[in-house]
Amino acid sequence: MDRLTNTIRPYAWGSTTAIPALLGAEPTGEPQAEMWMGAHPGAPSRLDRGAGGTTLSAVIAADPEGELGSAAVAKFGPALPFLLKILAAGAPLSLQVHPDLAQAGAGFEDEERRGVPIDAGHRNYKDANHKPELICALTPFDGLCGFRPPREAADLLEGLGVDSLKPYVDLLRAHPEEAALREVLTAVLTADREEMARTVTETAAAAERLGGPYAPYAGLVHDYPGDPGVIAAMLLNHVRLQPGEAMFLGAGIPHAYLDGLGVELMANSDNVLRCGLTPKHVDVPELLKVVVFEPSAPGVLRPEGGAEEVYETPIDEFRLSRFVLAPGGAPHTLPDAAPQILLCTAGAPTAGELTLAPGESVFVPAGEKVELSGSGTIFRATLVL
């Protein structure tokens, strides 16, 4: 078992205080958006087995079956198939979707063939993998997830009383659901930018004045003035997760995180197609290939089970569970067939011989027995064999 040293990513939308507060550290004044735990090449965790520091990705590459187990390598290949994060949103993230496995493979191959640099700002596919993800709230957590029914979206837009939104309202009421959502999102993202900026300004003013169901959208314009994503966001459901609740996001589902601290677990990928709320590249034609234009109610997940509370998802690449350990409680021995990362978010629990503080994590290779004890909260990230 290895204690991990993890990279904190300073994305502009990150909170300046949430991750430092979890770690018991002084804020630097800079945004701290995500702490990555895993073997993703963008920011692999580091560890030290006595021969000097190295990366978790290098350790796994040197002995995939020894670290991951033969069953995991046979099913997922010689790499850790998941990436665990602490995510701290101080401002809205980009409104985005993720491709499915076939779309990611085809898109990555196409951009490789065309010689698009992997770090180019207009590159859509950084790897050939899909990126389903699960976010579990550590604090009250606001997000947007999945399309509203078109008529419900039409009522919401109409209630603002903004004349330039009327064409979108009419489209949402005049077509079958899939066609309505496709036409309106396409129209919003391809509209004249100056005209759209005026619409966004009027929409934000009306949303701020009306409050209520408009409140989650009112502040978007302060972070992204004139951005068509402000209008696109109103096509989506608003979700507020309470601590311990989670939300699963599959391929093609538009979503954005607005505010809060959470534990995020995903397939080991960095593929994002953006719809708005971002200064970054938005590839509308490629985006429209990936978005699933169907209304979908955001399902709020609550952990199920006894000592190990599991967040059930339809994905084998990752599995998230939680242990809330009480003082004087019986220790818990973890299954050892698959690799796992253990993350402490509260208290001072013990994993094996290591005592963990909030924000600390360990990597446990397949085949190593670990016993959890003490008092605190531990999230367990592993995979399904």
Side-chain angles (χ1 to χ4, degrees):
M1 181 168 51
D2 303 281
R3 194 184 296 270
L4 298 177
T5 300
N6 304 304
T7 298
I8 295 177
R9 311 305 294 265
Y11 305 136
W13 49 262
S15 167
T16 59
T17 59
I19 289 179
L22 179 70
L23 300 178
E26 285 295 320
T28 64
E30 299 298 318
Q32 298 188 30
E34 295 179 347
M35 185 168 76
W36 288 23
M37 292 156 281
H40 191 282
S45 298
R46 298 189 64 83
L47 52 88
D48 189 343
R49 292 186 173 175
T54 186
T55 64
L56 180 56
S57 52
V59 167
I60 292 172
D63 184 11
E65 290 202 358
E67 301 295 332
L68 306 178
S70 57
V73 172
K75 187 169 184 177
F76 301 109
L80 190 68
F82 61 81
L83 175 63
L84 181 65
K85 299 180 181 180
I86 294 175
L87 182 146
L93 283 67
S94 59
L95 186 60
Q96 59 190 258
V97 295
H98 305 306
D100 64 24
L101 198 55
Q103 292 164 336
F108 181 78
E109 182 180 351
D110 174 64
E111 290 184 320
E112 288 289 280
R113 180 182 52 78
R114 292 190 285 115
V116 181
I118 198 72
D119 58 352
H122 63 286
R123 174 117 188 186
N124 291 317
Y125 299 95
K126 303 297 179 69
D127 52 65
N129 201 9
H130 63 165
K131 193 188 174 189
E133 61 190 42
L134 178 74
I135 184 77
C136 178
L138 294 178
T139 66
F141 194 98
D142 283 293
L144 305 172
C145 178
F147 285 113
R148 298 172 179 271
R151 290 189 176 276
E152 183 181 316
D155 291 343
L156 190 72
L157 292 178
E158 186 175 48
L160 289 161
V162 175
D163 289 343
S164 52
L165 292 176
K166 190 175 186 307
Y168 306 135
V169 172
D170 292 341
L171 282 172
L172 288 166
R173 288 183 172 152
H175 294 281
E177 289 187 334
E178 180 180 344
L181 293 170
R182 180 182 292 274
E183 287 191 38
V184 171
L185 184 64
T186 303
V188 167
L189 297 182
T190 58
D192 178 84
R193 292 306 292 251
E194 289 188 9
E195 291 181 8
M196 178 53 67
R198 288 193 290 271
T199 297
V200 169
T201 299
E202 292 179 36
T203 297
E208 193 163 0
R209 183 180 68 253
L210 292 168
Y214 299 102
Y217 309 95
L220 297 179
V221 73
H222 300 300
D223 295 294
Y224 302 103
D227 193 311
V230 174
I231 308 302
M234 300 188 74
L235 302 176
L236 308 187
N237 300 291
H238 172 247
V239 186
R240 166 160 276 208
L241 301 177
Q242 296 303 318
E245 294 180 336
M247 181 169 62
F248 174 74
L249 300 158
I253 303 300
H255 62 278
Y257 302 145
L258 303 181
D259 182 71
L261 180 70
V263 173
E264 187 178 34
L265 184 58
M266 62 186 62
N268 194 28
S269 172
D270 201 21
N271 284 327
V272 175
L273 290 146
R274 297 175 179 86
C275 316
L277 304 182
T278 179
K280 295 181 180 179
H281 176 63
V282 176
D283 185 335
V284 176
E286 190 66 25
L287 171 75
L288 296 176
K289 296 178 188 176
V290 171
V291 174
V292 175
F293 288 99
E294 296 176 359
S296 58
V300 175
L301 299 176
R302 295 174 180 85
E304 300 176 359
E308 182 178 17
E309 302 174 307
V310 179
Y311 294 90
E312 296 289 353
T313 69
I315 297 298
D316 286 352
E317 285 94 331
F318 62 74
R319 177 181 183 270
L320 185 69
S321 59
R322 182 181 69 168
F323 290 85
V324 180
L325 304 171
H332 304 284
T333 300
L334 302 182
D336 64 349
Q340 51 198 312
I341 292 177
L342 307 177
L343 166 66
C344 172
T345 59
T350 299
E353 297 180 353
L354 299 178
T355 298
L356 304 180
E360 291 188 329
S361 58
V362 295
F363 171 71
V364 184
E368 182 171 335
K369 292 283 188 185
V370 176
E371 188 176 87
L372 302 182
S373 59
S375 174
T377 301
I378 287 184
F379 281 87
R380 175 178 180 246
T382 186
L383 48 84
V384 179
L385 294 175

